[in-house]
Amino acid sequence: MFNALVMEQNEEGLASGSVKQLGLDDLPHADVTVAVDYSTVNYKDGLCLSAKGGGLVRKYPHVPGIDFAGTVEESSDDRYKPGDRVVLTGWRVGEAHWGGYSQKARVKADWLVPLPDGIDTRQAMAVGTAGLTAMLSVMALEDHGLKPGHGPVLVTGAAGGVGSVATAILAKLGHEVAAVTGRPETADYLKALGATSIVAREDLTEVTRKPLESEQWAGCVDAVAGAMLGRVLKQMKYGSSVAAVGLAGGAAIEGALITPFILRGVNLLGIDSVMQPYDNRLRAWKRIANDLPIDKLEAMVQPATLSDLPKLGADILKGQVKGRVVVDVNA
């Protein structure tokens, strides 16, 4: 028997979670059984932990947790053997499939990635989907020409999970990082991650009808969208790119015009981490092992246990979680 956070519906169709004991026979049928060490809390986890499942959970009872890292216990796939350290992010695990808020998980081998040397399972969950998304964003900006010395790189939602890791990676790579936050109390935290300047959120949320503004940013990792993205696009330098990773400010790009794209050659790059091909996941995790300062990673970590998850799920939906939550499922 093992512990898991199980979401169950009441007679009114509202779900709530509690820690329960399950057996191996309760797990879904799949290729690889993993002894989970750690999971984490992302915005999607907050949705899955909510009373209506955020529109992501279709069947109950359900075990959420879109990320996990641990050790292979059993595998019918030749790529993995007992004792291998692995990480899983995406593939709708924790949404449509049982996820990592459990001491055991059983998943398809195609969904796993072997952990590179230099990262343990706890550090992998300090990275998690948020950190993987941040690394994919940096890689996309580099693939479109961004180099240190080109000018300041803007990171919106910088105190969140994606923003924190993006700030640390960009700073280590030698970029000047301008971190946007609506929480002034996080300024010291962001500067410790490597941010060279702090931009107040309200400076970028006013919707304007100007076709363009002064060129300021050599690149941008945007986790907000909405009015902020509309404004940032008008301030991008010629030929620069924005990696769009989130929509905390709304799915619409308010105040956006086509002018930045056709007059300055600005690129808007959509970053998806859920269905990312295996080879690019492997490339990203290897880059994380090399380019994410592990000492800075520890400053982002908020420890938690399975019993903490219902509250943390509600907190992250309110924007009240700083950095990365690392859930010790065995504590």
Side-chain angles (χ1 to χ4, degrees), residues 6-25:
V6 182
M7 300 293 295
E8 296 177 295
Q9 282 183 319
N10 62 20
E11 294 178 355
E12 287 76 38
L14 300 179
S16 61
S18 61
V19 178
K20 294 183 176 293
Q21 283 210 317
L22 301 176
L24 287 173
D25 290 343

Side-chain angles (χ1 to χ4, degrees), residues 147-151 153 167-177 196:
K147 290 182 172 60
H150 282 186
V153 180
T167 297
I169 291 172
L170 287 164
K172 184 179 180 184
L173 292 172
H175 293 280
E176 179 185 348
V177 182
T196 50

Side-chain angles (χ1 to χ4, degrees), residues 119-240:
I119 298 182
D120 61 30
T121 53
R122 182 177 180 274
Q123 291 164 341
M125 284 298 95
V127 175
T129 284
L132 175 66
T133 303
M135 189 73 248
L136 291 169
S137 300
V138 173
M139 288 163 50
L141 293 176
E142 291 174 343
D143 290 345
H144 284 78
L146 179 66
K147 290 182 172 60
H150 282 186
V153 180
L154 192 71
V155 178
T156 71
V162 176
S164 293
V165 181
T167 297
I169 291 172
L170 287 164
K172 184 179 180 184
L173 292 172
H175 293 280
E176 179 185 348
V177 182
V180 183
T181 181
R183 294 180 277 173
E185 68 275 11
T186 62
D188 289 343
Y189 164 76
L190 291 168
K191 288 179 179 178
L193 293 180
T196 50
S197 62
I198 306 298
V199 180
R201 181 171 57 196
E202 54 267 26
D203 291 348
L204 290 171
T205 51
E206 181 184 354
V207 177
T208 71
R209 303 311 301 178
K210 293 179 181 179
L212 293 170
E213 298 184 32
S214 298
E215 297 181 45
Q216 296 188 55
W217 317 115
C220 175
V221 177
D222 176 60
V224 177
M228 186 175 293
L229 179 54
R231 190 79 183 277
V232 166
L233 286 167
K234 299 173 186 179
Q235 300 178 357
M236 299 302 297
K237 290 189 174 186
Y238 186 90
S240 62

Side-chain angles (χ1 to χ4, degrees), residues 267-287:
N267 305 295
L268 182 59
L269 313 173
I271 307 298
D272 167 65
S273 62
V274 177
M275 307 302 289
Q276 193 71 211
Y278 174 83
D279 287 346
N280 214 35
R281 288 175 185 266
L282 199 58
R283 176 189 169 209
W285 278 103
K286 288 179 178 178
R287 283 288 305 272

Side-chain angles (χ1 to χ4, degrees), residues 29-33 72-82 106-109:
H29 297 290
D31 308 318
V32 184
T33 303
V72 173
E73 281 197 338
E74 187 177 357
S75 174
S76 60
D77 188 287
D78 292 339
R79 288 171 288 180
Y80 296 101
K81 64 183 185 300
R106 190 176 289 141
V107 295
K108 292 183 179 180

